[in-house]
Structure formats: C-alpha cells, structure tokens
C-alpha cells in the first residue's frame, strides 16, 4: 500500500519542510526512505520523530560512552524508566525528565504536565510511584518575571503531585542570571515494584490489539517535541496555544487502572503518550518489538470535531497511554478501565509486515517501510571547541579579588551567604509539596541531605536526591560533570544509604555551537568517569538542548538523580545536630579553593576560577566511610559540604531543625596557612560534617578507608550560638540571626511577588 | 466616580477544561442529563474609581491583560460596568 | 473493630488509613468502593484524605453524591461512627454530616507538621486522649479554613463540638500557629450527636516514631475504646 | 432548544476572601491604585437543553442549589440565559 495525500493537505514545499524543522538533507533522507514524496501526515510524523527530543540525534553518540551496567541493573537506558534490583525480589524504577520549554511559556501547566509525564514513565513499567523530586534553575529573584516563574512552576509541581497523592520529597534549586529567561524544570519519579511485575514497552505478538487508554485526544501541544528542540525566541509567544493542560485527577485514575491492568496479565506492553504523542509511542513500541503496526486515526477517541490524522498523531494531550493487549482480552481491558471511569478504544494492531502504517478508515495517510523509524534518523557529531571566554574566566586568579570591608566580620559574610536564595532553606517551596502522603517518608525535604523512604515489608530504605552545580560545569565541564555525580552520591551517603544508580537530565544550549557541544561532551565524559568510579551506572535520562535565548545559553546543567539503598532504614541519619555535647568530626580536608564558589558569585558578583578539584578515589572512600559508620550506628548527624563551604554546612547543622536548634563551638586554627575565607567558604569537595555517637569507632572506619578525619569541635546548647575560630579571626553568631537569614530569605524574596494573585497560580481551585 | 466592573474569565475553547468536564459528569449523574457542556472559570467583581464608564472598562481591560487573565489559556470578557 | 475505608476516585490517603488500622492498630479494615451500596458491617467508616473527583468545583462537593454516601448517612443517622480526615472532612461538611464549610486557605496550600490541642474527650476520636493534650501531626491541604457564621460557631463551642484547635508549642491557639486561617483556630469538630468527626490534620500519618510522630495513635485508640465500650 | 446560561458564584459578604484581597494588593502593586476592592468567585457557563428560557433558568437554579454553590458560604446569581 502507498500513502496518498488527503483532500486539503498542504502542498509540501521547501518552506513547509523547513517549518517542520527538517534540514534539506534530512528531507532527502526521508524521500529516499519512502521512495517518493511524503504526504503531509508523513512529514509531520517524521518531524516529530526526528526532532532532537525524540531522536537524540546530536547526543546519542556521546551518551553511548556512559557506563550502564551492573549486576543490580535490571533495565538500563532505552525504556520508559530505568530499573534496579534492591534485593528481596524488590526493584526500583526511576527516571528524570525536563519540561523546560513548556514551563518557560506557561509555568503552572508546563511544570504540572512535566510531573504528569514522568509519573507515567514510571508506572508504565509496572512500578507504583512512591516519590517525586524536582530540580529547578532560575534567574535572579530580583526580577518580577523570575518570581512569576518560580511561583507558577512550584505551584504547578505541587498541585499535580499532591492531587495524584505521590509525595514530593526532595530536589534542588539554584538561582543564577545564566538561567534568566530559560528556567530549568526537571522532574524525577521513583517507583517500587516486585521484580516479576516488570513490564517493558515492547510491542509483540502479531494480531495483538493496540489500545488507546485514558483521556481523549485534543489539539493540545501539537508539535511540542519539535518546539522543545528550538531556541526560545520572541516569536515563541505565538506558539503559546501549543501548551497542554494537565488533569492530575485523571492521572490518578490512570495510575490505578494501569497497575491493575498490568497485574491482570491482559497486556503485553504499555507506553505513555508523551512528547509527540501517539506517533512516538507507537513508533517506539514497534521498534523495540521489531514489528509493524497499523493505526486507524478514525478510531482514536477525540475531544474536538474535525481533527485530522496529522493532528491526532501529533497531539500531546495529557494523561493518555498506548497499550498492546493480548488478542481476545479487549473486553477485560475495557472492564478494568471502566471501573476507573476511563475509556479504552482499540485503534490498531500489531502486524507482521515490517511497516509503520496510519490509515484514516480505508485511506492510507502514512506508511513508512521498516521498523526503525526513530533510530533511522540522521546522527550528528557537531564540532566541539571550548569557548575562549570560559578559558579566560577559568584562568582568572580569584585569590587576587580583594575582600570587601564588611568581610572583616566573617559573621556578615556567613549571614549573607545563608540568605543567598541558592543556599537558603527551600521551605517556602516544599511547604507547597505534600511530602508525607503514603506514609513512607522517614526523612523529608530539609531534614537530611537526601530524602529517605522506607519500604513496607522490608528493613530496607531508599535515599534519593537530585544535584548539579551548573556554574562548576560552565567553568570546567569535565570536573563539573564529575562533581554533579559525586555530590548526589555524597548526599545520599550522608543518610547512610549506598548510592546505587543514577538517572540524568542533560540541560544544555544549542549543540550546533561548538562551545556548547564541547561542554556537552566534556560534561558527559566527567559524569561517566564518576559513575564508573562510584559504581553508580546510568539507567536512563533525558536530553534537553536549545536552552537558549537571545542573550545566550544556560549554564550546562547535567542534573543527576541518584538512588541509594539503606540496608537498615531505622539508621537513616539527618543533617541537623541532635543535641549539645557531641563531638563534631570533619571528614575530608580543607583546601585553598575559591573558584566557581557561591561566595564569589553572591558576595563579589564574580563567576570565575576553576571549580574545586574532584578526586573520585577520595569521594569513593568518603562514601564508604559514611555508609559503613552510619549503618553501624556510630553517627548521630551527617551533612556534606557543598555551596557556601564548611561555615555554611556548620550553620545548617545548627539551625536546620527550627524546633530543636543546637549550638556549636568549632576551631579551625590548625588550617592557619589558608586564607580565612577559603577555610570558611571554599567549596573543596569530598567533605562531610558529622556528629559522632561512637567517636573512636567512627575515626577507625575513616582511617581504614584513608579518609582524613578530625574532631573540630563539639555541639553546645542553642543559647551558645555558633562560634568558629579561624586563623586571625573568630566567627560568632546567635542562632536567631543565622535562622533569620537562612529560613526566611526565600519567603522574603517571594513576598515581593504578585504571583500568588496570578491566574496561573490560582487555577484549578 | 466609582464603578463596579464584572469580569468573566473562562478557559479558552479547545483547551482542556478538566474542571468543566468533572462538573458536567457530576450533573449528569445527578440526573441533569440535558446538560451538554459546562465550563468553569472565574468571576471577578472589581470596584474602582474612574472618570467615566469607558475609562473604567479600559482600566479593567488593562488589568486583565496584565494580571487577571492568563493569556495562554484563558479568555476574558468584561461583562458589565455599573456606576455605584 | 471493623473499619470501612471509602475509596472515592481521587482518594489518596485510603491506603494510609488502612495501614494505620491494620498494621499499627492490628484491627480489621475493609476497603469500600464509592459505587458500593453496602458498608459490609463496618463499625466505623473513614472518609479518607485525597482529592476526590480532583476537588474540582469545591473540595468534596462531587464526592458527596457517590452512591455509598447514602449508606454513610444512614449509618451516621443510626449513631454509627464516621471519621472524615482532610478531604473526608470536606466531604462530610458538603454532605451536611458536619456543620460549616472548609474554604481555601488564606495562605495557599500548606504541607507541614502542626500541633493541635484536644479540646474534648467525649467523642469517638478523642475518648482515649486527655483534655489539653497536644499532638503533632502533618497537615497537607489547600482548603482547610474552617468557616461558619459567628452564631453557629458560638453554638458549636457551647455544645462542645470543637474537638481540636491549632496551637503553638506552649499549647496556646495563636494566629501564628493557625496554618490556614481557620476561624477560632478550629482543626476538627464533631456533629451534635458526637458520632461524626472531621479534622484536617492527618493522624494516620503519625503512627510510628520512624516517620517522626506517633501522636496519631491515641486518636485511633480512641476509636477502638469507643467501639468496644 | 439549547440555551447558554451564565452563573456567578461569589463568597458571601462578610466571609473572608483572601483571594480577593491578594488580587487587590497585586493590582495596587502594579500601579492600579484606583482599585478599591476585588471579589473573586466562580463563573460557570452551562449549555443545556430546555423547552424555554424560564425552564432553563429553573433547571440551572436547581443545579446550583444541589451542587454548584455551597449554601453555607456562597451566593449565586443566574446572570444570563441566552438561546443558542
Ligand atoms: N525543589 C525542591 N523540592 C523539594 N525539596 C527540595 C527542593 N530543593 C531543595 N529541597 C530540599 O532542601 C534540602 C537542601 O537541599 P540542597 O540545598 O540541594 O542540599 P545540598 O546542598 O545538600 O545538595 C534537601 O533536603 C532537599 O531535598
Ligand atoms: Mg548536601
């Protein structure tokens, strides 16, 4: 059969091809593949499948270099989500995904539908979602537009997850002018399943019906996938109607129905209709199963009259899934969905003939030979070259930057840093997220370096966290890529969990720019090195390119979503000091590193210097020390040193729990060869601040792993405040002043916002 | 002069209106089978000072454009302007 | 004790309630589907938290018309115990099983631990507690601002129907300790017959020290004491 | 016949309207100082079959009494009934 145009189809012109984002070479490839001119419908299908978002055409060769295997990895990259075994027959499915472009245009719905999409990716594997995380990057909060974005995005994430009833338990947020105009919204979902329940999105079995499940198809978000592959420019505003609206209520029904459907054994495969909707879900399922498919657009349940096959295939209406069922079980499938007030409609069939065919009743509107529609896309390896500007910034001698007069008093500097939105408590955000629903949250947002969840019926627990310091990656991509993994692993290990595997979301600029592609290659390289060294393979992820606007690209931001396992969840350790009289132990060492620090950026407005060195052997040793000593019960609290350095980490340990604050008296005078500001605010890697339950045992374990460990002070009653002796000066602060700076900063910044009155921040009721 | 201006804000046609859908289905199950469609939006009653009704209307339109309605997903109508 | 937990489309604290009864209290529980028409001999009915019907229109407004709500009303009219938690409280108010209404919080959605003070012990949810006892447990809601006319509130107070108030760490109801703008800091009430109780905080999320608080236990133990009395 | 009925549902006077207050403040901060007060309620657009405009109005009134408005805290007005 051959596809022929429908009455009223636009004529295929070079301009129309260009509008669909296809290069002339790509179009030639399409014509060769078909052996004829494409129909309009075929052009639409290919423009979606060969978009960056679906095809990974600029990133796939680089991604292939990442380590993806370990005995506990049950499913690596290539499926809806990665899956690892955690023993006892239990497995964890998890994945992170970006919704940057939709959120920039319509923050509330863009972020909400991002959460919806990643949830579906996890429950289509047969896993019950148990936790959500989110990683956000914004410009400066001084800008009303940024406050509007923050308000809408946070509310969108909260409303969706809260309504579905999945706790949002962790994440990370940073603010930097580099993200002005291009906020990053990465959402991660973690689910749990029994190993035997794992199901893959692989169409199989000739004659099996293909079923559309869930919401009806409307004209929402047509070409969202190609949209996500373009720079945000001024005329993006004209593309606004593409934005989809989420319905978390339907999602909740879909979640329950899907898990019931999988348990029923009636289905072969399930996939979310995400970016490029029906097109990509059906093509990807066919490709994995190496089978042909036929789909009849007249059978797809639609929300609006007169939708064309083109629109039906490319719609990104939310809360829909594509199911391949066993032949003859159609009624059983319908019955399960009907229980949840959802529809299921047979819209096609798995066929032996190796083609991807779309019909509208009896009219063939698209037909592609072969079953490799997605991977037959052209692959590119663009030129990669480091930008001269970054080389110069990195080479700058940041120690030559003079201190400000106010820094004479290091308490001033500390309170300034604690109120930097990047460091300050994110309570304003996570108070909008239900973090305790499902009653598994042992350590929620703000309580520990990573969130900890118990697993019912097991002694084990999971620790999860997202991280990435884009400023480090910008200034030295390979090192920044390593640090992103190392920091996420450290955060997870600080709760007592062994880091096990990662998912990642690669947020970069336009890959056709040599300096951007260089960042991409280097950062992924560094990430891979760290994953190998820390034994945390990559199980999946997502690439978001073209995060640019006329003023430039975002910082290269390879967000890491880390999953770790605690053997005994009752040992899970928080970051807050637990009471007076405990010895404070510093694991790791102090260095004279200030480059790329939050101190330079927030206090001096300087983004320069090399990021701190990241020695992966030492990171590994630190992690081993943390896991072993915490699981043995020798540790009362643990917090790693990250943005703001040791002084900020110590302050956070004192004030993190607003209801039970604890003072500390610390001496760092043995490092008097270092400048005080490097000692206090330098961001040397591989460090953590602990309080010991059993000091000799802790020191012994550190010694065994070759990790420097010293007692630097002890905890005191809250009334004693925080005091840190450094060479030549003394930092003393009341906990009240530290708390005011840290706990109130974000709320104060956002209270200038009018976003709480904005409509996007108000609907639905 | 003081005016009371009423504004209706409704989800744009064609954009998913989950709230309207839920209410429609609820009305059906309550026996109001004759209901074809419901859309749920916001009603704003704004009391404001202006020199004339036209000026009040223009000011409220500016408020809607700037803040009250979401240009991406909603349409608004200024339903009435009354002197009070 | 047999507890029937009603699952509405959009309920999401139904399993949490089930675990609280079955795992923590070691009593019997049964999940009841909203389309069911039989309470299966439940002594106590729990309307759990969540977003029934997406909370579209108003929280609880659509769920109250679910088929099983007729049985719940009959059970309540016969003096049977009904507990509405969070969304369940909203449903109970919409169904007129409880007086008043729960409006949108003055500050937007809030998820955090709160402290509530037990005001009365003559109710099935507080029988095992003591007056003035302070309990810490999570809230997680966007529409929990308890509202009624001043006259109705006076009547509620007089009849001892206010069971819980939001308080500070010293046990005093203050504006600061009120997380949602509820009138008179009300966190939970009962009906005039004292057999239907609604509250916004989540006692079923505060059953184990591992999760940060076991202050919810005393409320579930109260149910047990009431049913076995 | 088919009718489009518009309904306004507003918080009853005297009941705290934090949303209205937030909108008022936001308008002030955007420079609309002349705004005295804003109330935010719901606007419903209902398409329904009925024999006459009066019948449509009566049916919608019944829907409001039963489901659409909360008698404890809200007042509703049937603002318009149009044949379509
Ligand atoms: N977007 C968010 N959503 C939920 N929790 C968050 C978010 N951002 C930060 N948090 C929580 O706040 C705490 C501090 O986070 P972060 O500053 O990233 O810690 P660290 O510096 O150790 O990586 C963590 O418990 C984290 O999970
Ligand atoms: Mg940390």
């Amino acid at each position: 059969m051959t596809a022929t145009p429908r009455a009223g189809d636009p004529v295929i012109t070079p301009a129309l091809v260009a509008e669909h984002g296809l290069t002339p070479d790509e179009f030639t490839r399409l014509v060769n593949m078909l052996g004829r001119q494409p129909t309009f419908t075929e052009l639409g299908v290919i423009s979606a499948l060969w978009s960056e978002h679906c095809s990974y055409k600029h990133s796939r060769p680089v991604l292939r270099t990442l380590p993806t295997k370990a005995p506990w990895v049950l499913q690596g990259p290539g499926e809806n989500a990665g899956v690892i075994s955690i023993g006892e027959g239990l497995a964890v499915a998890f994945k992170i995904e970006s919704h940057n472009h939709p959120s920039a245009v319509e923050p509330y719905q863009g972020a909400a539908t991002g959460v919806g999409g990643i949830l579906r990716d996890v429950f289509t594997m047969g896993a019950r979602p148990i936790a959500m995380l989110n990683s956000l990057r914004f410009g400066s909060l001084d800008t009303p537009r940024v406050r509007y974005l923050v308000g809408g995005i946070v509310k969108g994430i909260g409303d969706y997850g809260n309504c579905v009833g999945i706790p949002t338990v962790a994440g990370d947020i940073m603010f930097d002018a580099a993200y002005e105009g291009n906020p990053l919204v990465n959402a991660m979902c973690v689910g749990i399943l029994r190993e035997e329940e794992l199901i893959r999105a692989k169409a199989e079995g000739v004659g099996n019906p293909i079923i559309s499940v869930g919401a009806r198809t409307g004209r929402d978000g047509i070409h969202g996938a190609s949209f996500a592959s373009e720079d945000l420019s001024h005329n993006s505003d004209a593309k606004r109607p593409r934005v989809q609206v989420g319905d978390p209520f339907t999602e909740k029904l879909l979640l329950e129905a899907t898990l019931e459907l999988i348990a029923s054994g009636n289905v072969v495969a399930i996939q979310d209709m995400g970016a490029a909707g029906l097109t990509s879900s059906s093509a990807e399922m066919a490709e994995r199963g190496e089978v042909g498919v036929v789909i009849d657009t007249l059978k797809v349940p639609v929300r609006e009259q007169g939708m064309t096959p083109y629109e039906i295939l490319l719609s990104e209406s939310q809360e829909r899934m594509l199911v391949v069922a066993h032949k003859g079980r159609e009624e059983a499938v319908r019955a399960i969905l009907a229980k949840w007030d959802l529809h299921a409609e047979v819209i096609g069939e798995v066929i032996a003939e190796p083609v991807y065919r779309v019909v509208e009743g009896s009219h063939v509107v698209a037909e592609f030979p072969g079953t490799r529609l997605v991977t037959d896309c052209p692959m590119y390896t663009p030129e990669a070259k480091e930008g001269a500007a970054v080389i110069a910034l990195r080479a700058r001698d940041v120690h030559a930057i003079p201190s400000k007069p106010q820094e004479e008093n290091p308490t001033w500097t500390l309170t300034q840093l604690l109120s930097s939105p990047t460091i300050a408590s994110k309570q304003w955000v996570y108070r909008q997220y239900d973090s305790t629903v499902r009653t598994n949250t042992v350590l929620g947002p703000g309580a520990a370096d990573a969130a900890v969840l118990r697993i019912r019926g097991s002694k084990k627990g999971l620790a999860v966290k997202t991280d990435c310091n884009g400023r480090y990656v910008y200034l030295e991509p390979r090192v920044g890529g390593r640090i992103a993994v190392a920091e996420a692993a450290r955060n997870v290990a600080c709760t007592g969990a062994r880091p096990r595997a990662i998912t990642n979301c690669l947020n970069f600029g336009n890959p056709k720019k040599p300096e951007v592609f260089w960042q991409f290659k280097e950062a992924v390289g560094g990430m891979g090195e760290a994953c190998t060294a820390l034994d945390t393979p990559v199980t999946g992820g997502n690439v978001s390119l073209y995060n640019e606007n006329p003023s430039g690209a975002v910082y290269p931001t390879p967000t890491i979503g880390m999953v770790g396992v605690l053997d005994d969840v009752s040992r899970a350790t928080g970051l807050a000091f637990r009471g007076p009289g405990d010895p404070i132990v510093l694991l790791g060492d102090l260095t004279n590193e200030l480059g790329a620090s939050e101190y330079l950026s927030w206090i001096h407005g300087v983004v320069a210097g090399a990021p701190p060195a990241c020695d992966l052997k030492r990171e590994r040793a630190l992690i081993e020390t943390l896991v072993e000593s915490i699981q043995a019960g020798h540790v009362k609290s643990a917090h790693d040193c990250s943005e703001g350095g040791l002084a900020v980490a110590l302050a956070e340990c004192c004030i993190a729990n607003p209801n039970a604050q604890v003072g500390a008296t610390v001496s760092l005078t043995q490092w008097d060869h270092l400048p005080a500001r490097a000692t206090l605010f330098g961001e040397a890697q591989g460090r953590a601040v602990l309080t010991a339950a059993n000091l000799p045992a802790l020191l012994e374990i550190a010694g065994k792993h070759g990790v420097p460990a010293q007692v630097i002070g002890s905890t005191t009653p809250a009334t004693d405040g925080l005091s840190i002796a450094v060479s030549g000066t003394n930092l003393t602060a009341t906990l009240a002043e530290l708390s005011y700076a840290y706990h109130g900063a974000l709320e104060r910044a956002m209270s200038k916002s009018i976003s709480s009155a904005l409509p996007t921040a108000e609907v639905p009721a | 002069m003081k005016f009371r201006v009423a504004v209706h804000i409704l989800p744009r046609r064609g954009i998913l209106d989950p709230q309207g859908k839920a209410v429609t289905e609820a009305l059906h199950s309550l026996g109001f089978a004759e209901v074809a469609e419901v859309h749920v939006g916001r009603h704003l009653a704004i009391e404001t000072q202006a020199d004339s009704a036209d000026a009040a209307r223009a000011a409220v339109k500016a408020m809607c454009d700037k803040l009250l309605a979401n240009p991406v997903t909603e349409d608004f109508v200024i339903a009435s302007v009354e002197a009070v | 004790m047999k507890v029937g937990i009603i699952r509405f489309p959009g309920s999401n604290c139904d399993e949490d309630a089930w675990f609280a009864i079955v795992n923590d209290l070691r009593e019997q529980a049964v999940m009841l589907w909203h389309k069911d028409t039989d309470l299966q001999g439940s002594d106590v009915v729990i309307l759990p938290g969540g977003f029934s019907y997406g909370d579209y229109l108003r929280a609880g407004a659509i769920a109250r018309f679910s088929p099983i709500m007729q049985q719940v009303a009959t059970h309540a009219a016969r003096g049977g115990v009904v507990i509405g938690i969070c969304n369940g409280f909203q449903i109970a108010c919409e169904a007129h099983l409880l007086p008043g209404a729960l409006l949108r919080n003055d500050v937007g959605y809030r998820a955090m631990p709160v402290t509530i003070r037990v005001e009365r012990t003559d109710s099935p949810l507080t029988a095992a507690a003591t007056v003035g006892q302070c309990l810490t447990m999570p809230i997680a809601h966007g529409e929990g601002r308890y509202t009624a006319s001043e006259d109705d509130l006076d009547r509620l107070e007089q009849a001892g129907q206010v069971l819980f108030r939001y308080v500070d760490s010293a046990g005093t109801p203050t504006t600061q300790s009120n997380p949602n703008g509820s009138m008179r800091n009300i966190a939970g009430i009962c009906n005039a017959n004292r057999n239907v109780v609604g509250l916004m905080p989540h006692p079923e999320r505060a059953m184990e020290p591992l999760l940060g608080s076991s202050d919810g236990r005393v409320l579930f133990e109260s149910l047990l004491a009431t049913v076995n009395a």
Side-chain angles (χ1 to χ4, degrees), chain A residues 448-450 465 467 487 490-491 494 575 639-642 652:
Chain A
D449 280 3
K465 182 71 167 76
D467 277 299
E487 187 188 355
R490 219 155 54 213
N491 278 329
C494 277
L575 71 88
H639 184 27
D640 81 323
C641 296
S642 55
E652 287 173 340

Side-chain angles (χ1 to χ4, degrees), chain A residues 699-716:
Chain A
L699 296 178
E700 194 194 316
I701 292 172
K704 185 176 85 186
H705 292 290
V707 172
Q710 356 233 340
V711 177
I712 56 171
S714 63
T715 56
T716 61

